Amino acid sequence: MKPSQKRTRKLKTQSAENATCEVIEASVTHLTESPSPEPPETNPSPPRLNRVRGKKRRLSNNPSETTEQLRGGVVSQRSSLPHHHHSDCYNATNVSAAATAESTPAAPSWETVVKVVPSMDAVVKVFCVHTDPNFSLPWQMKRQYSSGSSGFIIGGRRVLTNAHSVEHHTQVKLKKRGSDTKYLATVLAIGTECDIALLTVSDDEFWEGVSPVEFGDLPALQDAVTVVGYPIGGDTISVTSGVVSRMEILSYVHGSTELLGLQIDAAINSGNSGGPAFNDKGRCVGIAFQSLKHEDAENIGYVIPTPVIGHFIQDYEKHNKYTGFPVIGIEWQKMENPDLRKKMGMESHQKGVRIRRIEPTAPESQVLKPSDIILSFDGVNIANDGTVPFRHGERIGFSYLISQKYTGDSALVKILRNREILEFNVKLAIHKKLIPAHISGKPPSYFIVAGFVFTTVSVPYLRSEYGKEYEYDAPVKLLEKHLHAMTQSVDEQLVVVSQVLVSDINIGYEEIVNTQVVAFNGKPVKNLKCLAEMVENCVDEYMEFYLDYHQIVVLQTKTAKEATLDILTTHCIPSAMSDDLKT
């Protein structure tokens, strides 16, 4: 149940002065471009309210600095004061009681005072019903829940919002400003890395009388921004304003990636997710998506800038689906130490970064080698600290150059190897991680034998098992693989025993939980499907599972397979394996 908070509006009347009479004009605040001036607005700070609907996600590498995704909630109301305008002035000596009475304005009519800003009509409220997967019991889903967020209409009968606003969606509805109708929406694409989703509505009525939002250029520091959306605190649209305070490569919490982002000082609260950020010309310069919650920080919000939004839209239009942001599959080291540069054969005028490791599955592994010095990327020189020129007086990480590319594009990489300068055309792609950040909306895979529940490890799995601070509470070996391990093949997975469903067949093994399966009957376990096939086809007398920490599980093959059916029946499990393992 959402909190219902309303603020009363008090109208201040202006008293007539006996000495002189002036024409008083109300100040005008422009949120976006409008054909005529708007009445002044008052915006008292609302009381801090706890969020009561949807989910608040707090994920960060630092427990004291938490960046939150903003999904769910309602909005605060704003009231407009009437525009007072006095009639002709009179000489002070001729002021009468009648004149004094005329100078006092009558009670205004709200129908004639309130005016709609065209761009704000394109901002919609997003209602989503989510059904998240159950990683602890992967054969079933969690109980569904609802959330509310924001979005806005763009060209081509499409709507933009955040990816986390419609994650694991079952149903999505949109409601326009001032309307009492909710329209069913279809999700066209979800960009996990950039936290953007593209929606559409089939009902023609939804698109009537609404002009799409136009995008503006990347703002500069101290440029004014206005965030519009439906945050917690009320039911109607809400507007907050601020300035651009920082621009750099940010960590996108939902996507577990690093892309260009804007930091603003406008308030961004739960429910603001997916709402547009306008500049002073009424053009959209970004999408609100997360904020920083820290005891020493206030009003720090983050916005997805137009270059990232444009990349997402063009990627969808080019491939008719979202393919993602390519990366270069290397780990690199700064070359700021003079002795290190000299040892690596760099001249005084040369700058760059050293390659520490290369992912074996990356296309770059065919041409690049460890200890190569990357001097430039696509003709742009890289500094010793890994930055490149961005705008006047600004530098940014060279990963920004990579993020401007599309999957399958090539880039010219200049390197220094053994004091020799070489150039290679590198094909950019998306690389699979050993522990993926997402499972792309699919249910988790699982396999059960003799009560042992085998599954694969992902970031959502770790978050489900160990909570928001999983990077501090999860087993050290799993965290080490999450942070540093590289896949040796494209189909490699990290398989673990997530739990043991207690039965007579597995006495003594009950305490095994979230432990990696290294091998089965002497053969390495490459992925979960490989393990399931080896178990199903096993004709040996015993099944031997070699686990991490040098543990071993031995089960009699015939007895274990017979006990599996009874265990499935006891726990109401429909199948011993997920559907993706049956094909």
Side-chain angles (χ1 to χ4, degrees), residues 304-336:
I304 304 171
T306 48
V308 179
I309 301 172
H311 187 286
F312 169 81
I313 295 175
Q314 293 177 22
D315 184 19
Y316 174 78
E317 294 176 345
K318 183 178 179 180
H319 302 97
N320 201 28
K321 64 178 182 179
Y322 173 75
T323 62
F325 287 75
V327 295
I328 185 168
I330 64 169
E331 293 180 356
W332 54 272
Q333 175 186 359
K334 294 181 180 180
M335 295 294 293
E336 295 177 315

Side-chain angles (χ1 to χ4, degrees), residues 209-501:
V210 179
S211 300
V213 168
E214 296 182 0
F215 291 101
D217 297 329
L218 191 67
L221 295 180
Q222 293 187 331
D223 278 2
V225 290
T226 301
V227 179
V228 182
Y230 293 87
I232 189 172
D235 292 321
T236 57
I237 202 165
S238 172
V239 179
T240 56
S241 60
V243 298
V244 177
S245 52
R246 182 177 294 166
M247 187 181 309
E248 62 182 357
I249 300 297
L250 297 176
S251 175
Y252 281 44
V253 175
H254 180 71
S256 298
T257 53
E258 294 186 346
L259 295 170
L260 182 66
L262 303 180
Q263 178 183 318
I264 63 176
D265 64 353
I268 297 180
N269 299 303
S270 296
N272 264 127
S273 283
F278 294 108
N279 59 15
D280 55 1
K281 296 181 180 180
R283 295 181 179 270
C284 177
V285 295
I287 304 175
F289 75 117
Q290 62 188 33
S291 65
L292 181 67
K293 300 300 181 185
H294 188 271
E295 58 183 6
D296 296 328
E298 294 181 358
N299 284 352
I300 296 182
Y302 296 102
V303 171
I304 304 171
T306 48
V308 179
I309 301 172
H311 187 286
F312 169 81
I313 295 175
Q314 293 177 22
D315 184 19
Y316 174 78
E317 294 176 345
K318 183 178 179 180
H319 302 97
N320 201 28
K321 64 178 182 179
Y322 173 75
T323 62
F325 287 75
V327 295
I328 185 168
I330 64 169
E331 293 180 356
W332 54 272
Q333 175 186 359
K334 294 181 180 180
M335 295 294 293
E336 295 177 315
N337 184 273
D339 293 336
L340 177 60
R341 293 199 302 270
K342 186 176 181 180
K343 174 65 176 177
M344 300 305 296
M346 297 178 65
E347 301 291 340
S348 59
H349 65 278
Q350 291 178 326
K351 296 181 180 181
V353 294
R354 172 183 173 270
I355 297 177
R356 295 194 294 130
R357 292 198 302 168
I358 306 175
E359 293 188 17
T361 59
E364 302 88 277
S365 62
Q366 304 299 320
V367 292
L368 301 180
K369 297 181 180 180
S371 290
D372 284 349
I373 307 298
I374 301 180
L375 303 177
S376 68
F377 183 89
D378 255 0
V380 181
N381 293 328
I382 301 175
N384 290 324
D385 61 353
T387 62
V388 294
F390 183 52
R391 297 191 299 194
H392 179 70
E394 298 178 72
R395 298 188 67 85
I396 199 168
F398 81 96
S399 61
Y400 169 73
L401 302 177
I402 305 172
S403 68
Q404 298 303 294
K405 297 285 189 176
Y406 294 89
T407 304
D409 287 356
S410 296
L412 182 64
V413 179
K414 181 188 291 187
I415 66 168
L416 178 67
R417 180 185 298 168
N418 298 328
R419 302 178 186 272
E420 180 182 359
I421 296 179
L422 304 174
E423 291 185 349
F424 297 102
N425 272 313
V426 177
K427 187 176 181 180
L428 301 177
I430 298 176
H431 303 151
K432 181 179 178 297
K433 296 182 179 180
L434 182 61
I435 298 182
H438 293 270
I439 60 174
S440 303
K442 299 180 295 184
S445 302
Y446 72 92
F447 174 67
I448 301 174
V449 61
F452 287 81
V453 181
F454 300 94
T455 188
T456 58
V457 179
S458 62
V459 172
Y461 175 83
L462 294 176
R463 191 180 299 122
S464 173
E465 290 289 301
Y466 300 101
K468 300 172 183 177
E469 306 297 334
Y470 67 90
E471 291 189 333
Y472 300 91
D473 299 331
V476 174
K477 287 203 172 185
L478 290 183
L479 290 177
E480 191 276 333
K481 291 179 174 64
H482 166 51
L483 298 174
H484 304 292
M486 292 183 173
T487 56
Q488 302 301 312
S489 61
V490 293
D491 59 348
E492 183 178 1
Q493 293 177 322
L494 184 63
V495 181
V496 296
V497 178
S498 65
Q499 63 176 311
V500 179
L501 304 176

Side-chain angles (χ1 to χ4, degrees), residues 14 21-29 37-40 81-87:
Q14 298 174 341
C21 181
E22 299 178 352
V23 177
I24 303 176
E25 295 183 357
S27 62
V28 179
T29 301
E38 292 223 14
L81 289 179
H83 188 290
H84 297 295
H85 185 82
H86 289 265
S87 55

